[in-house]
Amino acid sequence: MTTTAAHALVAQLEELGVEYVFGTCGHTNIAVLDALADSSVRFVIARHEQAAAHAADGYARASGKPGVLLVHVGPGLTNAATGVMTAALDSVPLVVISGDIPSYYHGRHPHQEINLHADDDQASVFRPFVKRAWNVHRAQDLGRFVERAFFTATSGRPGAVLVNVPMDVFSRPAAPYPPISHVARPGLPQETAKLIAAKLAGAERPLIYVGGGLREDPGPLIRLAEHLDIPIAHSLMAKGTVPDAHPLVVGMPGFWGLELTNAYAREADVVLALATRFAETDASSWDPRFTWDFSGSTLIQIDIDPAEIGRNYPAEIGAVADVRLAVEAIADAAASHPARSRHELRKQILEARTELFAASRERGRSEDFPLRPERILADLRDTLPPDTILVTDVGWNKNGVAQCYELPAEGRFVTPGGASTMGFGPAAAVGVQLAQPGRTVVALIGDGGMSAQLPALPLAVEQGAPVVFVVMNNRAHGTISDLQSAHFGRSHGCDFTDPAGQPYSPDFAALARACGAGGHTVAAPGDLGAALREAVANRRPAVIDVPMVNEPVPTPGHWNIKDIYQGLFTD
């Protein structure tokens, strides 16, 4: 029997090493699902396409392999858009395969076609954030476009791509597909490495600033920093790249940055920026009074994406290179320079970091109930295995962990950065767990984020993914409620209430039990640690519903969003 394009696609996915395809079914993609039924590739069915996209994203972040997402025409594709954009803005490789209307109905506006401004135009929904979108018109092109999709998603700056396929193409006779192409990652020229090493060795106040693009072995980075005794700052996305306890880690700059971190960054004479886009929160809204001021200093910027070099600050030395290879070359070149020692600076870093974590732990001793958020973080830190992967959403869970949670060296922190998507955490944690089945995975999320992605619960149960969902429940979109209260004197439209105006929340623990997962409700300060131990030991999905008081994240730094409301009325 002639092989169909759908069967050839699945065989190609197998050859590409794909383990999972995440998605939902629809009449436009069931030919692919039928082919997957006889494949080693496992289909992970979700109850909503955004959940499927976040799960594929989490899998990609934790496995180092591209995530694969299969969606249906029209609303299937648009439902997935937020999840795909989240992956794209964080440079996560994601290959989306979407079913589309039958090719022979083009222009007739068939069922579920996106067509108000152009016929059969659903690929345009993704074009603003994917690296490339291919529209397949012939079955013989499918294999070639899929090969290009995987190559594009994983080469250069990783990202999301789309292969859009009319449903009838999947059932047409297959054409041979090409082998995957490979490309060597660009290294740093030796002379450039020597020049950068000399700049760092000769600096009085050098700083290494690490972004989220350095996700692999930090050994050469640590070797470089220790030889020249250079402090290391990191972006939100790079937390954990170098262990929090390392004596040269000065932490995050910007909005969540300590006074020492921001002052040192502002006054540094040479900054080596590695795979970072200088995001607004990490750069104090790019206001030179607070964090980065390159008017009298040297910026050396290395990135795989040439568009990032000089985007926000002028780079005296810019290099397009794989950051891991570049750091290794610079560390090797720096070895020819005498070692440096900055004992006083190390002492300042130790004091500032110790005070940060100690103050957070002290606040975390509170026996108040509902719990203070830092009590929740303290119980997590004291109870969870050191190699736990913490997957956060947005709000106190992300901001608090990023700023004042001392991540163990074996641990990992996964969070949405560029899009800061509420609802990322629950389903992304399931994808992370599938990629790392032997590790403890905790989705630390707010009640708003949990409510936004309830489909993650049955997803975890069906996949046997023992994710522990810890819901920091303040019955509000707490961070925005705080922001509105601070600037407008009241909070409206941010807090969850019943018809009588009383605080309201679903019973997340009961919902978990209804889905077949474990459900724990924290009713007293000591309950959280016990529930965590039980949930981790049981190795099955579980929800821990933790009543939490709504209080702002400690934010010593500057971010223009905090004062722009007054500015609108005074300018």
Side-chain angles (χ1 to χ4, degrees):
M1 186 174 68
T2 303
T3 300
T4 66
H7 282 85
L9 167 63
V10 171
Q12 186 176 15
L13 295 179
E14 290 176 336
E15 189 168 306
L16 289 165
V18 173
E19 298 177 295
Y20 298 96
V21 171
F22 300 81
T24 57
C25 61
H27 68 268
T28 60
N29 64 26
I30 55 175
V32 179
L33 296 178
D34 181 70
L36 283 169
D38 302 317
S39 166
S40 62
V41 179
R42 181 168 150 191
F43 181 64
V44 178
I45 183 173
R47 282 168 165 75
H48 193 278
E49 290 83 1
Q50 185 176 340
H54 288 321
D57 180 354
Y59 169 83
R61 295 185 198 226
S63 69
K65 301 178 180 180
V68 181
L69 178 66
L70 178 67
V71 296
H72 173 54
V73 69
L77 178 134
T78 56
N79 281 346
T82 297
V84 176
M85 181 186 70
T86 301
L89 293 184
D90 285 348
S91 303
V92 175
L94 197 66
V95 176
V96 184
I97 300 170
S98 59
D100 203 350
I101 63 162
S103 61
Y104 44 81
Y105 284 156
H106 184 94
R108 301 190 69 177
H109 295 185
H111 183 55
Q112 295 186 309
E113 180 191 35
I114 295 177
N115 54 36
L116 283 180
H117 301 289
D119 295 327
D120 189 18
D121 199 32
Q122 69 175 20
S124 295
V125 174
F126 277 26
R127 290 192 191 279
F129 47 82
V130 295
K131 291 182 71 176
R132 178 74 188 270
W134 289 267
N135 281 306
V136 179
H137 298 294
R138 307 180 305 165
Q140 55 264 47
D141 292 331
L142 178 58
R144 182 166 57 89
F145 289 176
V146 168
E147 185 277 330
R148 288 289 82 196
F150 275 83
F151 178 84
T152 303
T154 56
S155 61
R157 179 178 184 167
V161 295
L162 172 68
V163 181
N164 191 56
V165 189
M167 62 178 289
D168 56 298
V169 167
F170 287 132
S171 298
R172 296 187 185 279
Y177 55 84
I180 186 72
S181 298
H182 299 278
V183 62
R185 306 285 285 181
L188 191 68
Q190 188 176 41
E191 289 306 310
T192 305
K194 290 180 178 178
L195 176 61
I196 294 172
K199 289 275 189 182
L200 292 170
E204 289 303 313
R205 290 179 61 87
L207 176 65
I208 299 173
Y209 178 47
V210 184
L214 185 61
R215 293 171 177 150
E216 298 179 19
D217 176 25
L221 171 62
I222 295 173
R223 177 159 54 94
L224 170 64
E226 290 180 346
H227 181 66
L228 297 178
D229 226 24
I230 303 175
I232 301 170
H234 61 79
S235 70
L236 167 73
M237 299 298 292
K239 181 181 174 68
T241 299
V242 178
D244 276 340
H246 193 282
L248 287 171
V249 171
V250 72
M252 291 188 301
F255 183 48
W256 296 291
L258 296 171
E259 182 180 349
L260 172 66
T261 312
N262 281 316
Y264 192 92
R266 189 170 58 250
E267 297 165 8
D269 54 355
V270 176
V271 175
L272 173 60
L274 302 170
T276 176
R277 60 190 179 92
F278 285 99
E280 182 183 7
T281 49
D282 298 319
S284 297
S285 298
W286 309 288
D287 190 321
R289 294 174 298 169
F290 298 102
T291 301
W292 304 107
D293 180 5
F294 292 104
S295 58
S297 59
T298 296
L299 171 61
I300 303 167
Q301 191 171 3
I302 300 174
D303 203 286
I304 193 68
D305 184 357
E308 291 298 342
I309 296 174
R311 179 195 296 276
N312 285 310
Y313 298 106
E316 184 172 311
I317 301 174
V320 177
D322 177 274
V323 68
R324 182 181 61 82
L325 297 176
V327 171
E328 190 171 351
I330 296 168
D332 290 344
S336 64
H337 294 271
R340 297 289 299 269
S341 178
R342 296 179 172 85
H343 293 297
E344 185 59 32
L345 177 59
R346 282 189 175 227
K347 181 182 176 183
Q348 291 175 358
I349 293 173
L350 177 62
E351 290 175 351
R353 298 282 281 174
T354 300
E355 181 181 356
L356 168 69
F357 295 128
S360 179
R361 276 194 166 275
E362 185 59 36
R363 291 189 292 270
R365 297 182 194 278
S366 171
E367 291 291 318
D368 292 348
F369 193 82
L371 297 183
R372 296 190 70 182
E374 282 161 305
R375 171 61 188 265
I376 298 174
L377 297 187
D379 283 5
L380 288 168
R381 185 70 170 76
D382 291 340
T383 306
L384 296 176
D387 67 343
T388 296
I389 303 176
L390 273 180
V391 184
T392 69
D393 210 78
V394 296
W396 229 110
N397 48 90
K398 179 179 83 169
N399 302 342
V401 170
Q403 183 193 48
C404 52
Y405 186 96
E406 190 172 10
L407 192 70
E410 308 94 324
R412 183 164 176 191
F413 171 55
V414 176
T415 196
S420 198
T421 303
M422 187 177 69
F424 167 85
V430 178
V432 168
Q433 186 73 84
L434 292 177
Q436 300 286 343
R439 294 175 71 171
T440 297
V441 176
V442 171
L444 183 63
I445 47 190
D447 52 314
M450 189 73 240
S451 299
Q453 278 301 313
L454 293 176
L457 285 177
L459 175 64
V461 172
E462 290 168 345
Q463 299 304 318
V467 174
V468 180
F469 301 88
V470 178
V471 182
M472 302 174 75
N473 191 346
N474 55 17
R475 302 184 179 191
H477 294 306
T479 301
I480 306 304
S481 180
D482 290 335
L483 185 66
Q484 189 187 81
S485 296
H487 292 286
F488 295 94
R490 60 182 177 177
S491 174
H492 178 74
C494 304
D495 305 315
F496 304 127
T497 59
D498 64 16
Q502 297 302 307
Y504 165 79
S505 175
D507 187 337
F508 291 110
L511 179 62
R513 292 190 291 270
C515 291
H520 307 263
T521 300
V522 172
D527 290 355
L528 176 55
L532 282 168
R533 285 187 288 272
E534 181 180 343
V536 170
N538 285 343
R539 295 302 290 169
R540 62 188 287 252
V543 171
I544 304 175
D545 192 345
V546 191
M548 183 186 84
V549 66
N550 194 22
E551 63 180 38
V553 181
T555 47
H558 169 81
W559 184 17
N560 193 41
I561 199 171
K562 297 284 284 186
D563 61 18
I564 196 171
Y565 303 108
Q566 286 95 337
L568 291 173
F569 301 111
T570 58
D571 285 352

